[in-house]
Amino acid sequence: MNIQQIASIAPSPRQLAWQKMEFYAFAHFGMNTFTGSEWGDGSAPASLFAPSDFDANQWVQCVKSAGMKGLILTCKHHDGFCLWPSQYTDYSVKNSPWKDGKGDVVQEVSQACKRHGIAFGVYLSPGDRHEATYGQGEAYNTFYKNQLRELASNYGDIFCFWFDGACGEGANGKKQVYDWEGYYSIIRQLQPNAVISVCGPDVRWCGNEAGVCRTSEWSVVPAALQDAERTAEKSQKEDDGKFSRKITSCDEDLGSRKAIDGCESLVWYPAEVDTSIRVGWFYHPEQDTELRSLEELKEIYYNSVGANACLLLNIPPDTRGRFAQPDVLRLQELGEYLGRTFSNNLAIHGTAWATDSLQGHSPRNVLSYEEHLFWQPTPGQEQAQLTLEFPQPISFSHVVLKEHLPSGQRIEAFRLLADGKEIFSGTVVGYQRICRFSPVTAQRITIDITESRFCPTLQQVCVYP
């Protein structure tokens, strides 16, 4: 592929809609909440699932307070216990004392999301340590597809199906070969706007659970990565209790010119950063004092949402069926910080000019919130400068850059100059690059694009105090 073809690889509409969500929640809730486990073995009786004060509205209100736009629920974790009354297993809420077996956690959470205006997503573990057909090939795949159809058919619009690679040994001593393509087909048929994440073709795992992505997080990567998380040798293994703090070893460079040189097939496969607000993924009361600090969460946000990835932050409900108070307060703190930091875009008071512009793609477009407008220099011009100028000097500490993703991801290296002095340098931009630095005062801000593919684009430039 030549550089123009590579520069033109773009997201699908569902991938673009997902990218705009930026920041959303995970809620690990289920049998493990009541047994104190992280990976249950499927033997705990359904009678243990008994939240005393379940409140999905409280979850969603807390999620929104942090500025998140969606919530993904662990409808079934590896122990096989289902948070909805699945007709294909007895190991579900229908055989628990909660609401006398008449309850449906999935329904209540999906309705709360709709009521409060955020998106709802589904985690359905491919692994199942309870189901007898696990490891029996087609028998289990049929079982799993039936449960997938239940979730995809009965709970409204779903923005994401989140598949991890758990491929443990079943109670029968056998391992299961998953029918991934069959799973995808059901989702595409029943929820065509949903992205399929991690073990799926739309969104990839960033490579760790520590809350960071690469220095250069490319969305255009070798197509072979779409299969990487689905293979047994890459599948998730049982964790040691500190897993959410640990960085796994994955290739640092996935999309540079050197990394993709010689690749016959490239795809748009953007990164998601997943991590937990606590040490573990499920609630454990002894971890009430071990939450990530506000400073940690800020750094995670900047190094994910601010670095061309989306952030999936886990908040585990407690045995009441509510988010614990320490988590509630920390989410409020984060939301207040983000609101203060990104509420006053100073760029709207400036004018824009560039060293080169293609007709119809004025530099002024970067000051607009219209997504179809963007700046672009002449095709083939791989270096260019765009400058914002203000009537008088302004003080600022953040500059946010966005490329026009329907045109592809193109910028490979750039600098920010304040009145001609370099204040920041970076590599990729993609959906969003948040450039953060000590406050400076200047009248001119120049984005100096030093390397790009074919020609760069900028959809928007925002400047914050």
Side-chain angles (χ1 to χ4, degrees):
M1 301 177 71
N2 63 40
I3 199 63
Q4 183 175 356
Q5 292 172 320
I6 295 170
S8 299
I9 296 172
S12 67
R14 69 172 69 92
Q15 287 174 315
L16 188 57
W18 164 85
Q19 190 90 59
K20 293 174 185 176
M21 291 191 65
E22 300 183 2
F23 183 25
Y24 43 94
F26 229 163
H28 276 64
F29 185 59
M31 188 57 69
N32 292 337
T33 308
F34 299 90
T35 62
S37 303
E38 285 290 324
W39 277 46
D41 63 8
S43 64
S47 60
L48 290 181
F49 184 83
S52 59
D53 191 22
F54 178 79
D55 189 350
N57 287 309
Q58 188 248 11
W59 299 13
V60 175
Q61 288 166 344
C62 294
V63 164
K64 290 191 70 174
S65 76
M68 293 188 261
K69 299 176 182 176
L71 188 153
I72 298 174
L73 173 66
T74 55
C75 301
K76 182 187 81 170
H77 204 250
H78 314 325
D79 52 52
F81 184 79
C82 298
L83 295 183
W84 78 102
S86 174
Q87 66 175 300
Y88 298 101
T89 181
D90 290 332
Y91 200 46
S92 80
V93 290
K94 68 186 179 185
N95 285 317
S96 78
W98 179 61
K99 295 194 173 183
D100 297 323
K102 305 298 183 184
D104 187 336
V105 174
V106 180
Q107 187 72 265
E108 293 202 30
V109 175
S110 64
Q111 288 178 347
C113 288
K114 184 176 182 179
R115 188 178 304 119
H116 294 282
I118 70 170
F120 175 65
V122 162
Y123 169 111
L124 184 67
S125 171
D128 191 319
R129 292 176 157 189
H130 179 85
E131 171 56 32
T133 61
Y134 188 85
Q136 295 181 7
E138 188 56 34
Y140 178 75
N141 280 324
T142 298
F143 166 83
Y144 186 82
K145 290 175 188 177
N146 285 334
Q147 291 197 324
L148 195 57
R149 287 190 188 94
E150 286 183 318
L151 292 173
S153 301
N154 300 323
Y155 297 97
D157 291 336
I158 295 172
F159 86 93
C160 173
F161 285 82
W162 209 96
F163 295 144
D164 65 28
C167 191
E169 188 175 283
N172 54 16
K174 296 180 180 179
K175 290 188 177 182
Q176 175 69 30
V177 177
Y178 301 132
D179 180 13
W180 292 114
E181 295 302 328
Y183 306 164
Y184 303 160
S185 177
I186 291 169
I187 295 169
R188 293 296 193 235
Q189 177 188 359
L190 297 175
Q191 294 282 344
N193 296 323
V195 293
I196 307 172
S197 297
V198 184
C199 290
D202 298 317
V203 176
R204 63 180 168 83
W205 184 46
C206 73
N208 67 78
E209 293 172 339
V212 295
C213 59
R214 295 164 181 80
T215 302
S216 302
E217 195 67 80
W218 281 96
S219 296
V220 177
V221 296
L225 281 175
Q226 290 180 318
D227 293 327
E229 293 304 321
R230 307 192 312 182
T231 57
E233 62 270 24
K234 290 282 189 178
S235 65
Q236 186 179 346
K237 301 297 189 293
E238 191 159 1
D239 304 297
D240 61 7
K242 294 184 181 294
F243 57 94
S244 65
R245 308 283 177 165
K246 187 186 299 180
I247 298 177
T248 60
S249 57
C250 291
D251 291 342
E252 174 64 21
D253 181 7
L254 297 179
S256 72
R257 294 199 193 203
K258 180 179 180 181
I260 62 176
D261 183 43
C263 288
E264 294 183 0
S265 181
L266 299 171
V267 291
W268 190 276
Y269 198 31
E272 175 188 78
V273 171
D274 66 314
T275 194
S276 184
I277 199 170
R278 291 170 172 249
V279 176
W281 292 91
F282 285 90
Y283 178 80
H284 309 287
E286 65 273 17
Q287 295 178 3
D288 280 352
T289 58
E290 298 183 28
L291 269 66
R292 293 191 186 273
S293 67
L294 176 60
E295 287 302 314
E296 280 186 282
L297 291 176
K298 285 160 58 176
E299 289 301 314
I300 289 169
Y301 184 90
Y302 284 118
N303 290 315
S304 54
V305 178
N308 192 40
C310 284
L311 174 57
L312 174 59
L313 179 65
N314 179 63
I315 309 100
D318 60 22
T319 54
R320 299 173 302 165
R322 288 174 167 262
F323 288 166
Q325 192 64 13
D327 308 58
V328 171
L329 295 176
R330 191 55 40 80
L331 292 174
Q332 289 175 347
E333 289 177 339
L334 178 60
E336 289 167 0
Y337 170 79
L338 295 175
R340 288 194 308 270
T341 304
F342 298 105
S343 62
N344 182 20
N345 179 16
L346 302 175
I348 62 174
H349 304 298
T351 58
W353 50 273
T355 53
D356 184 49
S357 299
L358 180 65
Q359 186 175 359
H361 296 284
S362 166
R364 294 188 299 274
N365 290 346
V366 303
L367 305 179
S368 169
Y369 287 89
E370 296 291 332
E371 294 180 355
H372 68 283
L373 298 176
F374 60 98
W375 164 75
Q376 178 185 321
T378 308
Q381 187 73 26
E382 296 192 348
Q383 297 178 335
Q385 290 186 343
L386 184 145
T387 297
L388 303 186
E389 189 159 1
F390 299 87
Q392 59 272 329
I394 62 167
S395 294
F396 58 99
S397 62
H398 293 70
V399 173
V400 179
L401 307 178
K402 291 175 176 279
E403 289 187 69
H404 183 250
L405 294 194
S407 297
Q409 185 184 2
R410 303 184 178 192
I411 296 174
E412 297 171 305
F414 70 95
R415 303 185 303 152
L416 293 182
L417 310 175
D419 287 344
K421 180 181 178 181
E422 182 175 314
I423 57 171
F424 186 93
S425 64
T427 56
V428 302
V429 172
Y431 170 74
Q432 182 169 249
R433 169 68 71 172
I434 301 177
C435 310
R436 182 176 45 144
F437 38 82
S438 299
V440 297
T441 300
Q443 195 164 356
R444 286 179 293 111
I445 303 171
T446 299
I447 301 100
D448 179 20
I449 299 170
T450 55
E451 298 176 43
S452 69
R453 297 176 176 180
F454 189 58
C455 65
T457 70
L458 281 174
Q459 177 178 297
Q460 191 175 40
V461 179
C462 298
V463 180
Y464 298 98

